[in-house]
Every structure is written in structure tokens, then in C-alpha cells.
Amino acid sequence: MLTHTTTRVLEPGDLDAALAILESDPVTNAFVTSRVRVAGLDPWRLGGEMWGWYADGRLRSLCYSGANLVPICAGPEAVRAFADRARRTGRRCSSIVGPADSTALLWRLLEPTWGPARDVRPNQPLMVTEHASTDVTPDPLVRRIRKDEMDIVLPACVAMFTEEVGVSPLAGDGGLLYQARVAELIGSGRSYARIDDGKVVFKAEIGAATSRACQIQGVWVAPEHRGRGLSETGMAAVLRYALADVAPVVSLYVNDYNTPARRAYARVGFRETGAFMSVLF
């Protein structure tokens, strides 16, 4: 018996069906779920389109197409359909990111027309915790950043992004979108740092948050302070805030070759539960 499949751009009326897919894996899908919970499915408010893949009239998989291309709960057939649509529309994103298996297949299908990529990170362990470890004492100097401290924190955010991604976030539009994002995280109380003598020593943000899960991002220690365990005590502090004030499950993903970070996160209480993949353009 043949299965009838189709792919289309979702509309605001599809919100409940889309959320059902997203909430089926609240940790993996935290980034996109947090955006949809705030903006709905209107492309202008969402910052991109949400593609839906249907099998026999039922929504089965999603793909967010904005600044990132993100396959969501997508098996091989859905990934192929999303790749076909992505080829037709052309590349509009700066990265492809998502669960390693579906993202790897999506990239294999798109690479002949979208490649080469600037960088491919095929294995980024997804780490999760519901409890803070008692082995690491949280740094009492790590705190929420105030709105009037934007100018202090922004240089550290730029340094982290440049070091991690390989390009400055200030390129292109002069950094307007990036500065707006930093300001949004500070304004929502999801930016944390230790500031000594007017300089950021450690920082991290809760970049995505829903009632069920949140995701820490942008972890950075100033180069002159590395090797002193500040990533562990700083992360322990951010994790304490996240579990107490944001969501019952906290996640992050990290490059597999960053062994010191993986060890630090494990000491704080994170365990590896899966893997993401990123393709950077």
C-alpha cells in the first residue's frame, strides 16, 4: 500500500499540530520550540518558515528554515523531502544544525548544490541534566547581568562567538542583529557572568527556554583566566539558576574535540544522551 506524502509551509492554524511534534522531544527541540512558543508560525514573527512533512494527511515531521536550517523529528523520507524543498528555494541560512543522523543525511543531499561548507562538525554530544552535582561548588560571583551592563558583556560575547564559529558576529550588518540578540537575553534575565574589575571573567546564557527544558549556550572563560576551574564553578552557578528559575531539564551541546569542556560539564552533572551536528557556511 502506497503512502501519500506532501510537504508545505505551515500556517498559524497549524500551530497545535506543530507543537505536538516539537513537544514529543522537548530537550532536542528546545531551540525551535522556544521560538514557536513566542512567535507562533507566522514567518515574519518567527524569523523563517516552518516546513511540514505529511504522510497520509498527518503531520509527521518539521523543518525550520530561517537563519538556521533545522530538521525536527525527521526520518529519511522526510529529510529527502526537506532537501528537495531547500534545493528549490536556495540557501538562505548560515548553518544547518540538528540531530546528527538527520542532519548528516540532509547535508549529504544538499552538499552537491550548497557546498562547500566553511566547517562541518559531525559529532557534537548533547548533554543533559535534571540535577546539579554536589561535587562542584557554584561560583558565588556569577550572577544575572543587568541591562546597564550590556557594554561590559558585549565584547565577551563577540569574543566567544568569533572563537567558536570562526567569524565575527559584527560582520555584514555591523552586528546589529547580534547585539539585539545579546540585549534580548540580558533583558529576559537569561544572561549570566562573573565580572571582576569591570571585565567579564566567565559568561554563559540560557539561549532557549520552555517550561519543560532549556539550553545553555555561549559558555566562555576569558583566556587569561583559563585553567583555573572557572568553567566548572561558573557552569555550576548557571545550572543552579536554570534549574531553580527556568526549567526542570537543562541541556547543552559541545564539540566532541573539546575534551576539557566535556569533562567540566560532566563534573557539574551533565551526561551525554545523544549528538547534534552543525554545518557552517
Side-chain angles (χ1 to χ4, degrees), residues 157-240:
C157 294
V158 171
M160 178 283 304
F161 187 100
T162 304
E163 186 176 333
E164 171 65 20
V165 179
V167 297
S168 171
L170 305 183
D173 66 352
L176 294 178
L177 286 175
Y178 186 73
Q179 291 178 61
R181 176 59 174 163
V182 173
E184 176 190 352
L185 291 172
I186 293 174
S188 63
R190 304 210 308 266
S191 178
Y192 304 85
R194 172 176 170 172
I195 300 174
D196 292 351
D197 298 323
K199 294 184 178 180
V200 174
V201 172
F202 165 90
K203 74 151 202 83
E205 297 89 35
I206 299 175
T210 72
S211 62
R212 299 179 66 186
C214 65
Q215 187 177 89
I216 294 175
Q217 66 176 37
V219 182
W220 184 82
V221 176
E224 64 271 23
H225 292 280
R226 293 174 186 175
R228 295 166 48 189
L230 290 174
S231 62
E232 294 181 4
T233 58
M235 277 295 291
V238 175
L239 178 58
R240 179 185 59 188

Side-chain angles (χ1 to χ4, degrees), residues 259-271:
T259 303
R262 292 170 68 181
R263 288 174 178 167
Y265 300 153
R267 282 204 66 206
V268 171
F270 287 90
R271 66 189 184 279

